[in-house]
Amino acid sequence: LTDVDIISTSVKIGEFISPFYVVHYGLLYSEGSGTINEQFHWRKDSSLKYWNIDPPPLNENESRKFFRNMSDWVVTNLVLHEGRYHLLYDFDWPYQKFPGDKLVGPWWSGLTDGYAIILMLRAFDSFGDLKYLEAAGKLYESINTPIEKGGSLNLLGSDPWIEEYVDPRVELKSLPCVLNGMVCALFGVISYEEFF
């Protein structure tokens, strides 16, 4: 798999590589890779089919190869930024809740960082390489760290909330608190804590 294979196109911003789509497709490919167990991080997520177009049907060996490539992309593209590791979005993204109606790169997503934990745990189960567990640990720490310290954790009232869209230019109280971002990130938290 090359970068060309994971490039997305938007009429608003042109070509880009979305870390979320890499994680998303990595999870889809992992389900056809021949490794599945009873742990939480292998549970079937019925919402995946609504995220984007399914990849073409592949045999087990091809699925396993793409699953590994997507997992390796995550490990390679984890960046220490603002004191924590993230899969950074290095492009601007239109979003009305932010100054100028856009997030300005580099920004990060608690949804992506949290959901990537699941991919990393599956990759460790399948390939046995500790680099996947190390990446999962870095992501877990990041999403459980307050935004003002470089993480993705905010408060909704007095309750912890993992922000889907984190642009450090924006005041914490002005962040959008997107529910599906919180839920997907929480699946990553539960997976990591159950795994250990």
Side-chain angles (χ1 to χ4, degrees):
L1 184 69
T2 65
D3 284 350
V4 173
D5 298 318
I6 55 175
I7 291 176
S8 298
T9 303
S10 165
V11 295
K12 295 179 180 178
I13 66 169
E15 289 186 343
F16 63 97
I17 296 175
S18 169
F20 177 80
Y21 289 155
V22 174
V23 172
H24 167 73
Y25 285 114
L27 289 170
L28 290 174
Y29 289 126
S30 73
E31 292 180 356
S33 70
T35 307
I36 295 181
N37 65 41
E38 296 299 317
Q39 288 189 290
F40 185 81
H41 60 276
W42 281 102
R43 74 167 181 58
K44 181 80 170 162
D45 181 355
S46 60
S47 75
L48 283 175
K49 63 185 173 189
Y50 300 111
W51 284 104
N52 208 341
I53 300 168
D54 284 341
L58 301 173
N59 66 41
E60 187 176 309
N61 287 336
E62 291 170 321
S63 288
R64 191 170 173 80
K65 179 179 89 170
F66 286 127
F67 164 35
R68 185 173 206 147
N69 288 344
M70 298 293 188
S71 300
D72 287 344
W73 187 94
V74 168
V75 171
T76 301
N77 286 279
L78 271 181
V79 176
L80 183 62
H81 182 76
E82 303 274 332
R84 299 289 177 244
Y85 285 90
H86 300 283
L87 293 168
L88 288 180
Y89 290 76
D90 59 1
F91 51 85
D92 297 349
W93 188 254
Y95 199 92
Q96 292 180 347
K97 296 276 185 179
F98 291 90
D101 291 334
K102 64 183 174 183
L103 288 116
V104 175
W107 55 276
W108 64 88
S109 166
L111 177 158
T112 302
D113 290 349
Y115 223 39
I117 292 170
I118 298 168
L119 180 64
M120 295 296 92
L121 295 175
R122 288 182 180 190
F124 176 74
D125 286 348
S126 298
F127 309 115
D129 194 321
L130 286 176
K131 69 182 179 183
Y132 302 119
L133 280 186
E134 290 167 7
K138 290 174 182 178
L139 291 163
Y140 177 82
E141 180 183 328
S142 172
I143 63 172
N144 284 290
T145 298
I147 292 170
E148 58 270 21
K149 294 182 180 178
S152 300
L153 193 62
N154 200 3
L155 290 177
L156 184 61
S158 60
D159 295 319
W161 187 273
I162 301 167
E163 286 290 345
E164 178 172 350
Y165 301 106
V166 182
D167 182 337
R169 304 172 306 139
V170 178
E171 292 183 43
L172 298 178
K173 64 182 181 183
S174 299
L175 291 170
C177 296
V178 179
L179 180 60
N180 74 318
M182 170 61 182
V183 170
C184 290
L186 185 59
F187 289 158
V189 169
I190 293 168
S191 293
Y192 188 85
E193 291 177 355
E194 192 255 10
F195 185 87
F196 287 101

